[in-house]
Amino acid sequence: MIRDIVIYPDKRLKEPSAPVERFDEELHTLLDDMYDTMIAKNGVGLAAIQVGVPLRALIINVPVETDSEDPHKQQPKENTLEVINPVLLEAEGTTRYQEGCLSVPGFFEEVERYKRIVVEYQDRYGKRYILEDDDFLAIALQHEMDHLDGKIFVEKLSILKRKKFEKEWKKRLRGR
Ligand code: CO
């Protein structure tokens, strides 16, 4: 089921999310709904707080190469990485990438991230894993993990770019 996305500057996006303690049907429904919502909005990642649920859960689905225009084929459900209670174990280097966010629709800007990260997390059943990446997945994970701490990527812009963004965003919100 598609849920409503919380749009910047909604205060909920500033709230730190709580650890998931119950790996139950409610969590599984949340994760399934997050996938449906992310696909409907053409996103590659989504944190639970973005659908208004303050839990440390996020999903990422990096599109695969295909001739199909169908997002369900580009981002099959079985390719969805479900990350619960992630902890950053290691981080090194820096990289820059143009990011976007379903809570700030239509805005894209380059921000700095760690190049390589190692993260410990749990799946929807509570099983623990360790993941290492130094590519797109590492960037997406850092973006989504920030959401769990009440942080959003526009806060990483330079002061000038941030001011410009806030001005344009206010104008855009008024026009909605
Ligand atoms: Co985001």
Side-chain angles (χ1 to χ4, degrees), residues 4 14 21 28 34 39 45 56 58 62 66-67 73-74 76 115 117 121 141 143 153 156:
D4 286 339
K14 303 214 82 166
E21 285 171 358
H28 298 174
M34 284 168 64
I39 291 297
R56 302 187 82 78
L58 63 90
V62 181
T66 165
D67 293 333
K73 295 224 167 70
Q74 292 168 358
K115 171 69 180 150
I117 58 168
Y121 69 98
L141 260 171
H143 177 114
F153 83 114
K156 295 177 79 76

PDB file of all heavy atoms in Angstrom, residues 4 14 21 28 34 39 45 56 58 62 66-67 73-74 76 115 117 121 141 143 153 156:
ATOM      1  N   ASP A   4       1.607   8.180   2.373  1.00  0.00           N
ATOM      2  CA  ASP A   4       1.953   9.576   2.105  1.00  0.00           C
ATOM      3  C   ASP A   4       3.391   9.843   2.533  1.00  0.00           C
ATOM      4  O   ASP A   4       3.827   9.368   3.584  1.00  0.00           O
ATOM      5  CB  ASP A   4       1.036  10.522   2.897  1.00  0.00           C
ATOM      6  CG  ASP A   4      -0.360  10.567   2.297  1.00  0.00           C
ATOM      7  OD1 ASP A   4      -0.496  10.206   1.096  1.00  0.00           O
ATOM      8  OD2 ASP A   4      -1.296  10.945   3.006  1.00  0.00           O
ATOM      9  N   LYS A  14      13.021  15.983  11.460  1.00  0.00           N
ATOM     10  CA  LYS A  14      14.116  16.357  12.365  1.00  0.00           C
ATOM     11  C   LYS A  14      14.206  15.433  13.585  1.00  0.00           C
ATOM     12  O   LYS A  14      15.134  15.517  14.370  1.00  0.00           O
ATOM     13  CB  LYS A  14      13.927  17.801  12.848  1.00  0.00           C
ATOM     14  CG  LYS A  14      13.831  18.806  11.718  1.00  0.00           C
ATOM     15  CD  LYS A  14      14.435  20.129  12.076  1.00  0.00           C
ATOM     16  CE  LYS A  14      15.942  20.079  11.888  1.00  0.00           C
ATOM     17  NZ  LYS A  14      16.617  21.345  11.901  1.00  0.00           N
ATOM     18  N   GLU A  21      12.396  -2.912  17.849  1.00  0.00           N
ATOM     19  CA  GLU A  21      12.532  -3.980  18.841  1.00  0.00           C
ATOM     20  C   GLU A  21      11.723  -5.220  18.474  1.00  0.00           C
ATOM     21  O   GLU A  21      12.066  -6.324  18.864  1.00  0.00           O
ATOM     22  CB  GLU A  21      12.110  -3.451  20.224  1.00  0.00           C
ATOM     23  CG  GLU A  21      13.197  -2.546  20.806  1.00  0.00           C
ATOM     24  CD  GLU A  21      12.778  -1.816  22.060  1.00  0.00           C
ATOM     25  OE1 GLU A  21      11.621  -1.958  22.488  1.00  0.00           O
ATOM     26  OE2 GLU A  21      13.629  -1.077  22.605  1.00  0.00           O
ATOM     27  N   HIS A  28       6.905  -5.810   8.946  1.00  0.00           N
ATOM     28  CA  HIS A  28       6.930  -6.327   7.574  1.00  0.00           C
ATOM     29  C   HIS A  28       5.973  -5.555   6.669  1.00  0.00           C
ATOM     30  O   HIS A  28       6.299  -5.244   5.525  1.00  0.00           O
ATOM     31  CB  HIS A  28       6.610  -7.824   7.569  1.00  0.00           C
ATOM     32  CG  HIS A  28       7.616  -8.630   8.338  1.00  0.00           C
ATOM     33  ND1 HIS A  28       7.479  -9.973   8.587  1.00  0.00           N
ATOM     34  CD2 HIS A  28       8.788  -8.259   8.929  1.00  0.00           C
ATOM     35  CE1 HIS A  28       8.519 -10.399   9.301  1.00  0.00           C
ATOM     36  NE2 HIS A  28       9.318  -9.385   9.505  1.00  0.00           N
ATOM     37  N   MET A  34       6.668   0.652   2.337  1.00  0.00           N
ATOM     38  CA  MET A  34       7.757   1.559   1.962  1.00  0.00           C
ATOM     39  C   MET A  34       8.234   1.256   0.548  1.00  0.00           C
ATOM     40  O   MET A  34       8.514   2.166  -0.241  1.00  0.00           O
ATOM     41  CB  MET A  34       8.917   1.465   2.967  1.00  0.00           C
ATOM     42  CG  MET A  34       8.635   2.196   4.285  1.00  0.00           C
ATOM     43  SD  MET A  34       9.823   1.801   5.597  1.00  0.00           S
ATOM     44  CE  MET A  34      11.356   2.456   4.915  1.00  0.00           C
ATOM     45  N   ILE A  39       8.617   2.995  -5.040  1.00  0.00           N
ATOM     46  CA  ILE A  39       8.452   2.696  -6.466  1.00  0.00           C
ATOM     47  C   ILE A  39       7.475   3.677  -7.111  1.00  0.00           C
ATOM     48  O   ILE A  39       7.718   4.198  -8.201  1.00  0.00           O
ATOM     49  CB  ILE A  39       7.967   1.228  -6.655  1.00  0.00           C
ATOM     50  CG1 ILE A  39       9.081   0.255  -6.265  1.00  0.00           C
ATOM     51  CG2 ILE A  39       7.485   0.964  -8.075  1.00  0.00           C
ATOM     52  CD1 ILE A  39      10.328   0.338  -7.118  1.00  0.00           C
ATOM     53  N   GLY A  45      15.618   5.004  -2.511  1.00  0.00           N
ATOM     54  CA  GLY A  45      15.763   4.730  -1.087  1.00  0.00           C
ATOM     55  C   GLY A  45      14.695   5.458  -0.308  1.00  0.00           C
ATOM     56  O   GLY A  45      14.143   6.458  -0.782  1.00  0.00           O
ATOM     57  N   ARG A  56      13.974   2.974  13.263  1.00  0.00           N
ATOM     58  CA  ARG A  56      15.249   2.884  12.551  1.00  0.00           C
ATOM     59  C   ARG A  56      15.189   1.775  11.499  1.00  0.00           C
ATOM     60  O   ARG A  56      15.742   0.693  11.673  1.00  0.00           O
ATOM     61  CB  ARG A  56      16.413   2.694  13.530  1.00  0.00           C
ATOM     62  CG  ARG A  56      16.500   3.834  14.569  1.00  0.00           C
ATOM     63  CD  ARG A  56      17.728   3.763  15.438  1.00  0.00           C
ATOM     64  NE  ARG A  56      18.900   4.321  14.818  1.00  0.00           N
ATOM     65  CZ  ARG A  56      19.172   5.624  14.718  1.00  0.00           C
ATOM     66  NH1 ARG A  56      18.345   6.513  15.210  1.00  0.00           N
ATOM     67  NH2 ARG A  56      20.270   6.022  14.131  1.00  0.00           N
ATOM     68  N   LEU A  58      15.124   1.365   7.030  1.00  0.00           N
ATOM     69  CA  LEU A  58      15.237   2.023   5.725  1.00  0.00           C
ATOM     70  C   LEU A  58      15.318   0.959   4.645  1.00  0.00           C
ATOM     71  O   LEU A  58      15.637  -0.203   4.922  1.00  0.00           O
ATOM     72  CB  LEU A  58      16.477   2.925   5.700  1.00  0.00           C
ATOM     73  CG  LEU A  58      17.847   2.256   5.848  1.00  0.00           C
ATOM     74  CD1 LEU A  58      18.448   1.865   4.498  1.00  0.00           C
ATOM     75  CD2 LEU A  58      18.802   3.181   6.581  1.00  0.00           C
ATOM     76  N   VAL A  62      18.674  -0.265  -5.725  1.00  0.00           N
ATOM     77  CA  VAL A  62      19.456   0.307  -6.824  1.00  0.00           C
ATOM     78  C   VAL A  62      18.919  -0.271  -8.137  1.00  0.00           C
ATOM     79  O   VAL A  62      18.886  -1.488  -8.300  1.00  0.00           O
ATOM     80  CB  VAL A  62      20.957  -0.028  -6.654  1.00  0.00           C
ATOM     81  CG1 VAL A  62      21.762   0.592  -7.789  1.00  0.00           C
ATOM     82  CG2 VAL A  62      21.466   0.467  -5.299  1.00  0.00           C
ATOM     83  N   THR A  66      17.811  -2.527 -17.640  1.00  0.00           N
ATOM     84  CA  THR A  66      16.799  -3.283 -18.376  1.00  0.00           C
ATOM     85  C   THR A  66      16.192  -2.368 -19.441  1.00  0.00           C
ATOM     86  O   THR A  66      16.255  -1.150 -19.329  1.00  0.00           O
ATOM     87  CB  THR A  66      15.693  -3.787 -17.426  1.00  0.00           C
ATOM     88  OG1 THR A  66      14.579  -4.208 -18.194  1.00  0.00           O
ATOM     89  CG2 THR A  66      15.219  -2.714 -16.460  1.00  0.00           C
ATOM     90  N   ASP A  67      15.617  -2.972 -20.490  1.00  0.00           N
ATOM     91  CA  ASP A  67      14.948  -2.177 -21.528  1.00  0.00           C
ATOM     92  C   ASP A  67      13.579  -1.720 -21.059  1.00  0.00           C
ATOM     93  O   ASP A  67      12.960  -0.850 -21.663  1.00  0.00           O
ATOM     94  CB  ASP A  67      14.792  -3.012 -22.818  1.00  0.00           C
ATOM     95  CG  ASP A  67      16.147  -3.302 -23.444  1.00  0.00           C
ATOM     96  OD1 ASP A  67      17.066  -2.489 -23.229  1.00  0.00           O
ATOM     97  OD2 ASP A  67      16.286  -4.334 -24.119  1.00  0.00           O
ATOM     98  N   LYS A  73      10.189  -3.610 -12.790  1.00  0.00           N
ATOM     99  CA  LYS A  73      11.206  -4.449 -13.440  1.00  0.00           C
ATOM    100  C   LYS A  73      12.601  -3.856 -13.225  1.00  0.00           C
ATOM    101  O   LYS A  73      13.581  -4.574 -13.112  1.00  0.00           O
ATOM    102  CB  LYS A  73      10.902  -4.573 -14.938  1.00  0.00           C
ATOM    103  CG  LYS A  73       9.596  -5.312 -15.210  1.00  0.00           C
ATOM    104  CD  LYS A  73       9.760  -6.306 -16.347  1.00  0.00           C
ATOM    105  CE  LYS A  73       8.579  -7.271 -16.414  1.00  0.00           C
ATOM    106  NZ  LYS A  73       7.329  -6.587 -16.868  1.00  0.00           N
ATOM    107  N   GLN A  74      12.654  -2.501 -13.184  1.00  0.00           N
ATOM    108  CA  GLN A  74      13.944  -1.839 -12.961  1.00  0.00           C
ATOM    109  C   GLN A  74      14.414  -2.026 -11.514  1.00  0.00           C
ATOM    110  O   GLN A  74      15.607  -2.056 -11.237  1.00  0.00           O
ATOM    111  CB  GLN A  74      13.817  -0.334 -13.251  1.00  0.00           C
ATOM    112  CG  GLN A  74      13.592  -0.023 -14.717  1.00  0.00           C
ATOM    113  CD  GLN A  74      13.178   1.437 -14.936  1.00  0.00           C
ATOM    114  OE1 GLN A  74      13.021   2.191 -13.990  1.00  0.00           O
ATOM    115  NE2 GLN A  74      12.997   1.809 -16.192  1.00  0.00           N
ATOM    116  N   PRO A  76      13.204  -4.610  -8.985  1.00  0.00           N
ATOM    117  CA  PRO A  76      12.393  -5.718  -8.483  1.00  0.00           C
ATOM    118  C   PRO A  76      12.410  -5.782  -6.949  1.00  0.00           C
ATOM    119  O   PRO A  76      13.421  -5.470  -6.325  1.00  0.00           O
ATOM    120  CB  PRO A  76      13.044  -6.956  -9.093  1.00  0.00           C
ATOM    121  CG  PRO A  76      14.239  -6.509  -9.838  1.00  0.00           C
ATOM    122  CD  PRO A  76      14.295  -5.023  -9.853  1.00  0.00           C
ATOM    123  N   LYS A 115      33.589   7.766   1.372  1.00  0.00           N
ATOM    124  CA  LYS A 115      33.731   6.926   0.184  1.00  0.00           C
ATOM    125  C   LYS A 115      33.402   5.458   0.504  1.00  0.00           C
ATOM    126  O   LYS A 115      32.662   4.797  -0.210  1.00  0.00           O
ATOM    127  CB  LYS A 115      35.173   7.051  -0.349  1.00  0.00           C
ATOM    128  CG  LYS A 115      35.551   6.087  -1.463  1.00  0.00           C
ATOM    129  CD  LYS A 115      34.824   6.406  -2.760  1.00  0.00           C
ATOM    130  CE  LYS A 115      35.229   5.426  -3.866  1.00  0.00           C
ATOM    131  NZ  LYS A 115      34.141   5.215  -4.831  1.00  0.00           N
ATOM    132  N   ILE A 117      32.227   2.620   3.498  1.00  0.00           N
ATOM    133  CA  ILE A 117      31.667   2.412   4.842  1.00  0.00           C
ATOM    134  C   ILE A 117      31.464   0.927   5.119  1.00  0.00           C
ATOM    135  O   ILE A 117      31.331   0.106   4.202  1.00  0.00           O
ATOM    136  CB  ILE A 117      30.310   3.150   5.049  1.00  0.00           C
ATOM    137  CG1 ILE A 117      29.263   2.700   4.031  1.00  0.00           C
ATOM    138  CG2 ILE A 117      30.493   4.653   4.995  1.00  0.00           C
ATOM    139  CD1 ILE A 117      27.844   3.173   4.365  1.00  0.00           C
ATOM    140  N   TYR A 121      23.820  -4.290  10.454  1.00  0.00           N
ATOM    141  CA  TYR A 121      22.367  -4.049  10.470  1.00  0.00           C
ATOM    142  C   TYR A 121      21.622  -5.356  10.646  1.00  0.00           C
ATOM    143  O   TYR A 121      22.235  -6.433  10.667  1.00  0.00           O
ATOM    144  CB  TYR A 121      21.931  -3.358   9.170  1.00  0.00           C
ATOM    145  CG  TYR A 121      22.038  -4.234   7.939  1.00  0.00           C
ATOM    146  CD1 TYR A 121      20.913  -4.898   7.439  1.00  0.00           C
ATOM    147  CD2 TYR A 121      23.252  -4.425   7.273  1.00  0.00           C
ATOM    148  CE1 TYR A 121      20.998  -5.725   6.312  1.00  0.00           C
ATOM    149  CE2 TYR A 121      23.337  -5.235   6.164  1.00  0.00           C
ATOM    150  CZ  TYR A 121      22.210  -5.883   5.682  1.00  0.00           C
ATOM    151  OH  TYR A 121      22.299  -6.684   4.580  1.00  0.00           O
ATOM    152  N   LEU A 141      23.171   4.577   1.494  1.00  0.00           N
ATOM    153  CA  LEU A 141      23.047   4.174   2.905  1.00  0.00           C
ATOM    154  C   LEU A 141      23.294   5.349   3.842  1.00  0.00           C
ATOM    155  O   LEU A 141      22.567   5.535   4.820  1.00  0.00           O
ATOM    156  CB  LEU A 141      24.059   3.064   3.207  1.00  0.00           C
ATOM    157  CG  LEU A 141      23.532   1.632   3.215  1.00  0.00           C
ATOM    158  CD1 LEU A 141      24.706   0.662   3.321  1.00  0.00           C
ATOM    159  CD2 LEU A 141      22.547   1.391   4.353  1.00  0.00           C
ATOM    160  N   HIS A 143      22.881   8.509   3.178  1.00  0.00           N
ATOM    161  CA  HIS A 143      21.744   9.420   3.042  1.00  0.00           C
ATOM    162  C   HIS A 143      20.562   8.925   3.897  1.00  0.00           C
ATOM    163  O   HIS A 143      19.984   9.690   4.666  1.00  0.00           O
ATOM    164  CB  HIS A 143      21.341   9.517   1.559  1.00  0.00           C
ATOM    165  CG  HIS A 143      20.127  10.368   1.308  1.00  0.00           C
ATOM    166  ND1 HIS A 143      20.172  11.558   0.619  1.00  0.00           N
ATOM    167  CD2 HIS A 143      18.825  10.194   1.661  1.00  0.00           C
ATOM    168  CE1 HIS A 143      18.953  12.087   0.579  1.00  0.00           C
ATOM    169  NE2 HIS A 143      18.115  11.272   1.197  1.00  0.00           N
ATOM    170  N   PHE A 153      19.637  15.806   3.693  1.00  0.00           N
ATOM    171  CA  PHE A 153      20.841  16.157   2.915  1.00  0.00           C
ATOM    172  C   PHE A 153      21.002  17.648   2.632  1.00  0.00           C
ATOM    173  O   PHE A 153      22.123  18.112   2.451  1.00  0.00           O
ATOM    174  CB  PHE A 153      20.918  15.322   1.625  1.00  0.00           C
ATOM    175  CG  PHE A 153      20.102  15.834   0.465  1.00  0.00           C
ATOM    176  CD1 PHE A 153      20.713  16.295  -0.689  1.00  0.00           C
ATOM    177  CD2 PHE A 153      18.717  15.841   0.514  1.00  0.00           C
ATOM    178  CE1 PHE A 153      19.972  16.753  -1.767  1.00  0.00           C
ATOM    179  CE2 PHE A 153      17.967  16.287  -0.556  1.00  0.00           C
ATOM    180  CZ  PHE A 153      18.585  16.753  -1.689  1.00  0.00           C
ATOM    181  N   LYS A 156      23.542  19.646   4.497  1.00  0.00           N
ATOM    182  CA  LYS A 156      24.970  19.491   4.185  1.00  0.00           C
ATOM    183  C   LYS A 156      25.442  20.476   3.116  1.00  0.00           C
ATOM    184  O   LYS A 156      26.621  20.500   2.773  1.00  0.00           O
ATOM    185  CB  LYS A 156      25.247  18.048   3.732  1.00  0.00           C
ATOM    186  CG  LYS A 156      25.002  17.026   4.830  1.00  0.00           C
ATOM    187  CD  LYS A 156      25.205  15.604   4.335  1.00  0.00           C
ATOM    188  CE  LYS A 156      26.657  15.201   4.259  1.00  0.00           C
ATOM    189  NZ  LYS A 156      27.263  14.909   5.563  1.00  0.00           N
TER     190      LYS A 156
END
